Amino acid sequence: TAMAVGTAALVVVLSIFNGFEGLVKTLYSSFYPDIRITSAHQKVMLLDSAMLQKIRLLNNIEAVSMVVEENVHLQNGDYKTNAVIKGVDDFYSKVSGVPERVLNGKFETGTDEQPKLVLGSGIENALSLLSDRALTPVTAYLPKKGVEFSDNPMDAISTVNLQPAGSFSIQQDFDNKYVITNLSILKQMLGLKTNEYSSAEIKLKKPAAEKEVITAVQQLLGDNYLVENRYQQNRSLFAVMQMEKWAIYGILSLIL
């Protein structure tokens, strides 16, 4: 009886951990792409249109979205908060699951003339607004690139008004940290050139072909670029989950 109860406990607990791991992977896969390309040494990645087209033509690549990320200070009236703003292009909805996780309003990033903002639900609460009913824009304060020291600190800051269009809810790590807007307007505000980005996010036709695609992209770009799968983008998270599972397995095995 003792052996049966111990074995049953081991099976049940490990099943719970496997289920929890599967849930976390599902939630994180809504935000993180199948494959991400970044610069190996710098914050800004250089990727011209010719090289980007070569990557898009590789086998098993469904879509490639160009992304720029930067820290931002947001203000809505008397309410203020800090976040990470993510500028995305029109291919983002094919690469990411965020548009499917919209809670209020719509996933719209607008245009250069009328830029819009999609907020994580935690940021939305911090700014005390309802994205689908907001009448006034949110003001974003961004650092300018390459600005020399000045007596006036505001000389190094760009400001832009972004009209809230919707909010998303995935998981606290994302909901309390990210907002998403138009790629072009964000590049203008940051002073980035045409071929300068933070990363490229890739959606695969067949996830099983991950290794082959990573190898092919790495050969095209060389060692100055990082080409990472979803696990490599979240090494610490998945490593901790694996350690927890093995620790529980060891403890229950000793008890048994």
Side-chain angles (χ1 to χ4, degrees):
T1 301
M3 291 290 288
V5 171
T7 303
L10 181 60
V11 171
V12 169
V13 172
L14 288 179
S15 296
I16 292 172
F17 266 84
N18 286 332
F20 174 71
E21 183 179 1
L23 174 63
V24 170
K25 285 180 177 179
T26 300
L27 292 174
Y28 273 67
S29 66
S30 296
F31 193 85
Y32 289 104
D34 292 335
I35 294 173
R36 183 181 65 184
I37 305 170
T38 56
S39 171
H41 308 293
Q42 299 176 354
K43 184 177 180 179
V44 174
M45 174 184 72
L46 301 177
L47 195 64
D48 60 39
S49 56
M51 181 59 72
L52 181 56
Q53 185 61 20
K54 289 181 181 179
I55 293 172
R56 286 195 165 115
L57 292 174
L58 290 173
N59 288 334
N60 290 312
I61 288 185
E62 184 173 324
V64 181
S65 175
M66 305 310 297
V67 173
V68 168
E69 287 189 21
E70 185 55 85
N71 294 320
V72 66
H73 180 74
L74 301 171
Q75 183 171 352
N76 176 46
D78 294 331
Y79 296 93
K80 305 173 184 179
T81 190
N82 295 320
V84 174
I85 191 167
K86 191 168 183 173
V88 301
D89 61 16
D90 294 336
F91 292 99
Y92 187 70
S93 58
K94 297 181 180 180
V95 168
S96 171
V98 174
E100 299 171 6
R101 298 278 185 165
V102 169
L103 189 65
N104 297 312
K106 298 179 180 179
F107 187 89
E108 294 179 350
T109 58
T111 62
D112 291 4
E113 294 75 24
Q114 295 180 318
K116 296 184 178 182
L117 189 67
V118 182
L119 305 93
S121 57
I123 302 295
E124 182 185 43
N125 291 335
L127 293 174
S128 188
L129 59 82
L130 292 174
S131 298
D132 57 336
R133 303 176 194 176
L135 299 177
T136 57
V138 171
T139 303
Y141 298 88
L142 295 151
K144 289 180 183 177
K145 182 184 177 185
V147 175
E148 296 181 358
F149 178 79
S150 170
D151 292 335
N152 184 5
M154 292 306 293
D155 290 343
I157 300 293
S158 291
T159 61
V160 60
N161 291 324
L162 304 169
Q163 181 62 40
S167 63
F168 62 86
S169 179
I170 300 173
Q171 199 264 350
Q172 257 188 341
D173 290 348
F174 310 120
D175 302 345
N176 296 339
K177 182 178 179 181
Y178 286 96
V179 295
I180 300 173
T181 190
N182 181 274
L183 173 65
S184 181
I185 191 67
L186 186 57
K187 290 185 70 171
Q188 287 180 36
M189 292 301 102
L190 294 174
L192 296 178
K193 297 177 182 177
T194 304
N195 61 343
E196 292 182 329
Y197 305 94
S198 297
S199 63
E201 300 189 353
I202 297 174
K203 173 70 174 178
L204 298 177
K205 293 178 181 177
K206 299 177 182 178
E210 176 186 279
K211 289 183 179 180
E212 290 81 358
V213 173
I214 288 176
T215 300
V217 173
Q218 194 73 70
Q219 287 177 348
L220 275 176
L221 295 174
D223 295 336
N224 290 327
Y225 294 81
L226 286 177
V227 185
E228 300 173 305
N229 61 20
R230 192 171 284 136
Y231 170 81
Q232 291 166 331
Q233 294 168 48
N234 299 279
R235 284 185 179 89
S236 58
L237 171 70
F238 290 119
V240 168
M241 289 193 336
Q242 284 295 108
M243 285 175 60
E244 287 177 341
K245 194 158 64 174
W246 280 109
I248 289 295
Y249 175 78
I251 291 168
L252 289 178
S253 296
L254 286 172
I255 293 172
L256 180 60

